[in-house]
Amino acid sequence: MNRILLAFVFLIAYGGFAQSIDYNTKKGYVAKGYDVVAYFDNKAVEGKDSFVTTYDKVKFKFSSQENLEEFKNKPKKYLPKYGGYCAYAVAVSSKKVPVNPETFEIRNGELYLFYNSGKNNTLTLWKRESPENLRVKADENWKEIKYQ
């Protein structure tokens, strides 16, 4: 009985340290430390070290105390889709690709981030290739890769 109880306690404790999905935490923060609330004002703004919080076992930075508080009040509203990985890559190749945090789109009240380097701007491809169809594909693919 003690072994079963010990195993149960271990599983709960170990599971308590795991985040619910795999977030893109390049530079130690979701969205490379950009303010996820500011995106909803159509701005890509780097967060500051003085405005940081943890949600779902990952860190977020904000550009102001107001945005930090807004996130704390409604964190799920501001979470980037697909853990902050490139929405286009998730849709097209079911891959987790890093993003350029200044390349984003708010669509239907949700934040999408994209890879953008050199001549490869996946936001442009996303818009050209039917965002709604790609979103459906990305949602399906994300179900399979979100824990990997």
Side-chain angles (χ1 to χ4, degrees), residues 131-146:
E132 287 309 311
N133 290 340
L134 289 169
R135 184 192 54 77
V136 170
K137 288 180 186 177
D139 287 350
E140 279 300 310
N141 290 344
W142 185 244
K143 289 176 189 175
E144 300 297 320
I145 65 171
K146 66 183 175 181

Side-chain angles (χ1 to χ4, degrees), residues 22 82 85-97 134 137-148:
D22 176 30
Y82 319 120
Y85 290 98
C86 175
Y88 183 80
V90 171
V92 172
S93 61
S94 198
K95 301 276 187 206
K96 295 177 183 174
V97 172
L134 289 169
K137 288 180 186 177
D139 287 350
E140 279 300 310
N141 290 344
W142 185 244
K143 289 176 189 175
E144 300 297 320
I145 65 171
K146 66 183 175 181
Y147 301 113
Q148 298 174 351

Side-chain angles (χ1 to χ4, degrees), residues 109-122:
E110 297 181 299
L111 170 60
Y112 296 84
L113 298 170
F114 298 89
Y115 176 85
N116 183 0
S117 182
K119 294 181 180 182
N120 191 3
N121 182 340
T122 60

